[in-house]
Amino acid sequence: MSYPYHLTNTMDDSQQEDTNALKARVSHPVIADFIQSMAEWGFNNQEHTLLWDAMCLVVEADEKGDLNDAKAMWEASE
């Protein structure tokens, strides 16, 4: 099956390694999935510095506990 370019992960190995390092810092699988999806979409379509800053802000918000309400909601819906 072939995917259109904008749906294909075109990250190089170093971009995936950096993304994996961010994903290792998060506390919930939904956040890790979001970071991966953001990276796959963004590295194809956006300016990388702004994308990286946004991904880091999501991880830092999780580390500070700012996403605890969202995590509780996700866990309640499982």
Side-chain angles (χ1 to χ4, degrees):
M1 183 162 134
S2 178
Y3 292 101
Y5 174 76
H6 70 285
L7 298 178
T8 304
N9 181 355
T10 61
M11 288 191 289
D12 62 32
D13 290 341
S14 69
Q15 290 168 329
Q16 186 62 62
E17 287 173 15
D18 291 342
T19 300
N20 290 344
L22 279 182
K23 289 170 27 182
R25 293 171 49 189
V26 302
S27 64
H28 197 279
V30 171
I31 301 168
D33 290 346
F34 177 75
I35 293 294
Q36 181 67 38
S37 295
M38 194 173 183
E40 288 178 16
W41 174 82
F43 284 123
N44 283 340
N45 300 296
Q46 298 298 316
E47 196 276 317
H48 297 179
T49 303
L50 293 175
L51 168 70
W52 185 255
D53 290 345
M55 291 166 58
C56 289
L57 287 171
V58 170
V59 172
E60 290 166 4
D62 179 37
E63 291 174 336
K64 290 189 304 185
D66 293 344
L67 301 179
N68 288 344
D69 289 344
K71 289 188 292 188
M73 181 185 63
W74 298 326
E75 290 167 5
S77 69
E78 292 177 345

